[in-house]
């Protein structure tokens, strides 16, 4: 396999120019897909025979929950890259993506709670999935907290990398333990949460909105990373040239 | 400096700073006292909740004692000496942690029978509680070290460390209280203990290395 | 369309408030993500530009 693209991404200059080209594309495709998926899901997908129309929350709940986990996976991988190969872009990635992941987890939590009210009759149920999203949110807040509290940039980069890697290793353990704990404590009445096999008309908009959310986050994350690159590389000549010539 | 001289000096240091150990134990006692006072002193509440109460208190007390682990060494510069000493840093971290663990866990184990009577735990269950403490607490210490090493350069890092590390404690707390709960209803609890041991072993291999990385970053 | 009329679409059976509040909150938060990220990049470029121009003058 050709690894040149990987090494190129490690260079701030190359990344900046690459992101200039692709960030808008990713963002707009993402917003487009997200809009199609959500409109389709809200207006055209059939109502669920058990939950009625409240199931339409799924088109925001599931994409954000998936993104929250994917972002954390990304943090962990970037953490390993940062610790092992010391690539310059890895800490930038962590710093840019952690807040986005936290927002994703937050939306998943809020939508889960609001979905819970008509479905379970309570705003919050200690359901395995909700609980693990809550823990994921707390992990994100930890990463953000340590990033913001350490003034020394190099130390902060190392620290978030370490925490991300530890989190990546711990995440399956936490998820598994919460599920196990849940089956121990949960009365059986809440098995409604087990997803029934979905018909195509429900599933396709969900796929679209999930892909759209990926695009949206990718675009936004690239902007954040570009901003961070500008802060870190402000002494480099190419930044000066980029800023003065292209008048961005 | 050799590994054994380092180990010896750590033991001496613990004996000279007895107050730290006492602080952690008093804190542990205080957290446990909060529950009967705050929720209910009845046997109906305390007996099933006892395992959870004790484990939450242990987790907090361990965090308290681990938090200051590198502080003094960092302030007087001996942490830097360790980094440049040429000895393998993860081993040094492990030795330091071993001393810390023994100094906290032995008084804790002495306290536990007394506390278990206050929380109406039967003698048979007490044995399970002691087992989970012995098997599970190394994981608490090992994960906590990473946090302590990361926040050592901060003047007020305790809250930050709590924020970062506590989520990682959840599996340990879940499985140890699970073992105690299983024992209380007469079910087998070997599975939970095995998982606890597995978590402790995973952290044993990983966290000294991670803590060493963090210490090196903090010292620079 | 899964709904007969606009009114029905807005009320979503009896679940209208739940569904619409979720989408409203999400829209606000996602827009916040977009806006803050865009602004971070633009602000940084503006700041650097001023700085470089100042350096060129001196």
């Amino acid at each position: 396999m050709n690894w040149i693209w990987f090494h190129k991404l490690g260079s701030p200059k190359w990344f900046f120019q690459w992101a200039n080209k692709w960030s808008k594309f990713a963002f707009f495709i993402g917003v487009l897909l997200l809009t199609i998926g959500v409109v389709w899901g809200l207006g055209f997908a059939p109502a669920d025979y058990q939950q009625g129309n409240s199931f339409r929350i799924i088109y925001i709940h599931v994409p954000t929950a998936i993104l929250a986990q994917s972002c954390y996976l990304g943090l962990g991988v970037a953490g390993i890259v940062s610790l092992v190969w010391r690539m310059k872009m890895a800490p930038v990635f962590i710093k840019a993506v952690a807040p986005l992941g936290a927002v994703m987890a937050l939306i998943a939590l809020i939508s889960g709670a609001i979905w819970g009210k008509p479905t379970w009759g309570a705003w919050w149920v200690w359901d395995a999935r909700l609980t693990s999203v809550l823990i994921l949110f707390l992990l994100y807040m930890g990463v953000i907290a340590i990033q913001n509290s350490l003034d020394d940039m190099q130390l902060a980069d190392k620290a978030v990398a370490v925490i991300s890697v530890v989190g990546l290793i711990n995440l399956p353990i936490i998820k598994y333990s919460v599920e196990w704990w849940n089956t121990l404590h949960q009365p059986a009445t809440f098995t409604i949460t087990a997803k029934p096999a979905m018909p195509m008309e429900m599933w396709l908009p969900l796929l679209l909105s999930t892909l759209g959310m990926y695009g949206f986050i990718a675009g936004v994350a690239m902007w954040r990373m570009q901003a961070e690159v500008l802060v870190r590389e402000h002494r480099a000549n190419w930044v000066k040239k980029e800023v003065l010539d292209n008048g961005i | 400096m050799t590994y054994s001289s380092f180990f010896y000096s750590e033991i001496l240091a613990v004996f000279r700073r007895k107050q730290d150990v006492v602080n952690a134990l008093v804190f542990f006692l205080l957290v446990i006292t909060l529950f009967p006072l705050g929720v209910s002193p009845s046997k109906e509440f305390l007996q099933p909740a006892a395992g959870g109460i004790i484990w939450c208190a242990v987790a907090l007390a361990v965090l308290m004692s681990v938090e200051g682990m590198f502080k003094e060494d960092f302030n007087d510069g001996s942490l830097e000496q360790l980094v440049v000493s040429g000895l393998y840093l993860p081993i040094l971290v492990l030795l330091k942690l071993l001393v810390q663990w023994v100094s906290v866990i032995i008084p804790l184990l002495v306290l536990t029978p007394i506390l278990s009577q206050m929380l109406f735990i039967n003698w048979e269950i007490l044995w399970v509680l002691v087992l989970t403490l012995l098997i599970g607490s190394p994981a608490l210490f090992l994960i906590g070290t990473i946090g302590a090493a990361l926040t050592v350069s901060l003047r007020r890092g305790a809250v930050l460390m709590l924020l970062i590390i506590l989520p990682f404690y959840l599996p340990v707390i879940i499985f140890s209280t699970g073992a105690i709960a299983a024992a209380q209803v007469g079910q087998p609890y070997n599975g939970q203990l095995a998982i606890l041991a597995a978590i402790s072993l995973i952290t044993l291999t990983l966290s000294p290395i991670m803590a060493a990385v963090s210490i090196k970053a903090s010292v620079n | 369309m899964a709904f007969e009329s606009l009114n029905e679409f807005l009320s979503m059976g009896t679940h209208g408030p739940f569904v619409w509040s979720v989408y409203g909150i999400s829209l606000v938060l996602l827009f916040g993500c977009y806006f803050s990220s865009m602004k971070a990049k633009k602000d940084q470029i503006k700041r650097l530009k001023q700085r470089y121009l100042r350096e060129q003058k001196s």
Side-chain angles (χ1 to χ4, degrees):
Chain A
M1 203 182 147
N2 193 348
W3 283 94
I4 291 174
W5 62 274
F6 184 70
H7 293 286
K8 271 186 176 167
L9 275 184
S11 136
K13 181 185 175 187
W14 196 88
F15 173 82
F16 191 89
Q17 284 158 354
W18 180 81
N20 257 349
K21 238 185 288 171
W22 291 101
S23 57
K24 280 207 183 78
F25 178 75
F27 179 77
F28 284 118
I29 290 284
V31 170
L32 187 71
L33 286 181
L34 194 59
T35 316
I36 295 175
V38 163
V39 169
W40 188 353
L42 273 178
F44 298 93
D48 187 77
Y49 72 101
Q50 262 180 331
Q51 303 183 15
N53 285 315
S54 69
F55 100 99
R56 291 175 202 281
I57 293 173
I58 204 174
Y59 298 108
I60 209 76
H61 180 70
V62 167
T64 47
I66 290 177
L67 253 294
Q69 288 174 2
S70 298
C71 286
Y72 207 86
L73 184 69
L75 288 197
V77 172
I80 293 172
V81 170
S82 164
L83 288 181
V84 177
W85 292 293
R86 307 188 183 191
M87 272 191 179
K88 268 186 177 174
M89 288 309 293
V92 177
F93 177 86
I94 298 179
K95 191 172 180 183
V97 169
L100 295 177
V103 172
M104 288 294 110
L106 185 66
I107 296 180
L109 275 181
I110 294 174
S111 60
I114 297 178
W115 194 2
K117 185 65 187 167
T119 313
W120 299 320
W123 293 106
W124 184 266
V125 168
W126 289 96
D127 157 72
R129 279 194 258 164
L130 275 181
T131 311
S132 54
V133 175
L134 176 67
I135 294 165
L136 194 61
F137 177 69
L138 293 175
L139 290 177
Y140 275 122
M141 292 322 273
V143 172
I144 296 171
I146 196 161
Q147 176 92 59
N148 291 340
S149 331
L150 293 171
D151 293 327
D152 177 4
M153 197 180 73
Q154 272 178 340
L155 175 58
D157 285 351
K158 261 290 165 44
V160 288
V162 167
I163 286 300
S164 306
V165 173
V166 174
L168 184 67
I169 297 160
N170 251 295
L171 210 57
I173 303 178
I174 291 178
K175 236 179 131 56
Y176 171 70
S177 64
V178 167
E179 249 152 53
W180 180 84
W181 157 85
N182 190 245
T183 49
L184 196 74
H185 288 256
Q186 192 94 74
T189 38
F190 294 118
T191 43
I192 292 172
T193 47
K195 239 186 276 170
M198 247 188 229
M200 202 57 173
E201 310 86 83
M202 288 184 183
W203 185 77
L204 212 57
L206 186 58
L207 180 71
L208 282 184
S209 53
T210 307
L211 289 177
M213 197 64 94
Y214 268 104
F216 174 83
I217 290 296
V220 172
M222 275 188 239
W223 289 332
R224 298 183 81 91
M225 287 171 75
Q226 282 187 313
E228 187 62 26
V229 165
L230 288 178
V231 173
R232 290 180 186 214
E233 303 281 321
H234 67 88
R235 284 198 194 84
N237 270 327
W238 69 267
V239 172
K240 196 167 176 179
K241 197 158 169 289
E242 196 84 30
V243 169
L244 288 177
D245 290 1
N246 300 347
I248 344 173
Chain B
M1 192 169 73
T2 59
Y3 292 116
S4 55
S5 73
F6 173 74
F7 188 57
Y8 182 67
S9 66
E10 280 303 313
I11 294 175
L12 274 186
V14 164
F15 275 104
R16 298 218 174 115
R17 283 185 278 120
K18 291 184 229 41
Q19 190 59 42
D20 286 2
V21 174
V22 175
N23 284 353
L25 290 175
V26 173
F27 181 72
F28 171 69
L29 205 63
L30 263 172
V31 173
I32 286 183
T33 321
L34 288 181
F35 282 88
L37 293 179
V39 188
S40 155
S42 68
K43 193 176 174 183
E44 288 76 46
F45 164 71
L46 284 177
Q47 198 167 29
I53 294 172
I54 289 188
W55 259 94
C56 290
V58 167
L60 291 173
V62 167
L63 266 182
M64 281 280 289
S65 81
V66 170
E67 195 265 326
M69 206 168 90
F70 300 116
K71 266 273 143 68
E72 213 161 299
D73 289 353
F74 179 78
N75 288 338
D76 65 14
S78 48
L79 204 57
E80 246 166 285
Q81 295 297 315
L82 292 185
V83 173
V84 297
S85 66
L87 299 175
Y88 190 49
L89 195 54
I91 302 270
L92 295 181
V93 172
L94 214 54
L95 286 177
K96 201 172 169 63
L97 204 59
L98 180 67
V99 175
Q100 189 90 7
W101 180 68
V102 171
S103 74
V104 175
I105 207 71
I106 286 179
L108 212 63
L109 288 180
V110 174
L111 263 182
T112 310
I114 305 165
L115 285 171
S116 66
Q117 286 312 299
M118 290 159 72
L119 296 174
F120 309 105
I121 299 179
N122 300 331
W123 288 109
E124 304 91 74
I125 309 299
L126 176 67
W127 165 238
V128 184
L129 176 63
V130 169
L131 265 184
T132 58
L133 278 178
L134 276 177
I135 299 175
S137 64
L140 299 187
F141 277 86
L142 285 159
I143 301 171
T145 338
I146 302 176
L150 284 177
T151 54
V152 72
S153 61
L154 289 173
R155 192 153 299 162
R156 272 174 296 175
V159 178
L160 181 66
M161 180 187 158
L162 216 79
L163 223 77
I164 303 166
I165 295 303
L166 219 45
F168 296 131
Y169 278 5
L170 291 174
V172 180
I173 293 178
I174 288 175
F175 283 109
S176 38
T177 52
I180 296 166
Q184 274 171 336
V185 293
Q187 280 178 345
Y189 48 85
N190 293 340
Q192 284 91 313
L193 289 185
I195 293 175
L196 274 183
I199 295 176
S200 283
L201 284 176
I202 293 173
T203 50
L204 180 67
T205 55
L206 274 171
S207 68
I209 298 171
M210 287 298 179
V213 169
S214 323
I215 287 175
K216 275 182 196 155
S218 295
V219 164
N220 278 337
Chain C
M1 232 13 222
F3 299 97
E4 302 279 312
S5 65
L6 184 69
N7 225 349
E8 214 174 298
F9 178 59
L10 288 180
S11 67
M12 290 265 161
T14 51
H15 298 139
F18 300 111
V19 175
W20 293 116
S21 61
V22 165
Y23 278 91
I25 293 168
S26 312
L27 193 69
V28 170
L29 286 174
L30 289 181
F31 185 77
C33 273
Y34 158 73
F35 189 74
S36 67
S37 312
M38 200 67 209
K39 199 167 168 346
K41 189 185 161 187
K42 286 218 168 108
D43 283 1
Q44 188 55 35
I45 288 174
K46 228 181 266 173
R47 211 173 301 142
L48 281 183
K49 198 166 191 171
Q50 280 172 358
R51 184 170 170 168
Y52 291 144
L53 289 177
R54 206 167 50 229
E55 279 169 9
Q56 270 180 353
K57 266 180 209 159
S58 60

